[in-house]
Amino acid sequence: MSDFLVVTTTHDDETKARDLAAKVIGERLAACAQVYPIRSVYWWDGEVQSGEEWRIDFKTRAELGGRLSTFIGEQHSYDVPEVVAVPVVAGAESYLNWITAETSAS
């Protein structure tokens, strides 16, 4: 099992996305958040929908994945926010050490 994760969510508004990213980092649930525009196509309310969204990729330790997922759900305005965690299978040792140092398990 990987010791690190990239946890992804999306938001419909850049300001909300940046605010969520700042809250997560402030809580030390992730060491880094990248926020960037995307175009999503999805099934919702019985039909195909599409729209501009802002994707947030959080870099964190695997042991914080559950807490981060819960936090995102509590802070998010979507009825069903995307929260997907992907294991980091390799990375620069210095970067992974930085993630460990900048996140909190408490």
Side-chain angles (χ1 to χ4, degrees):
M1 182 173 152
S2 173
D3 292 335
F4 300 94
L5 299 173
V6 175
V7 177
T8 299
T9 192
T10 57
H11 234 302
D12 62 352
D13 177 84
E14 181 180 9
T15 300
K16 290 178 185 177
R18 292 189 183 284
D19 287 348
L20 178 59
K23 287 178 184 177
V24 167
I25 300 304
E27 291 291 319
R28 308 282 306 268
L29 294 173
C32 174
Q34 295 169 318
V35 180
Y36 50 98
I38 60 170
R39 182 102 183 139
S40 295
V41 179
Y42 50 94
W43 188 265
W44 189 255
D45 286 336
E47 63 185 19
V48 175
Q49 308 267 338
S50 69
E52 293 180 2
E53 290 187 297
W54 292 85
R55 180 174 168 161
I56 313 165
D57 289 334
F58 296 103
K59 311 314 185 324
T60 192
R61 290 183 288 135
E63 66 188 87
L64 295 174
R67 287 181 45 208
L68 176 54
S69 177
T70 298
F71 187 84
I72 291 169
E74 291 170 349
Q75 299 294 315
H76 213 290
S77 62
Y78 284 9
D79 292 339
V80 182
E82 171 188 8
V83 181
V84 176
V86 178
V88 174
V89 297
E93 183 177 353
S94 59
Y95 185 77
L96 299 177
N97 288 340
W98 173 78
I99 291 173
T100 299
E102 299 305 325
T103 54
S104 174
S106 59

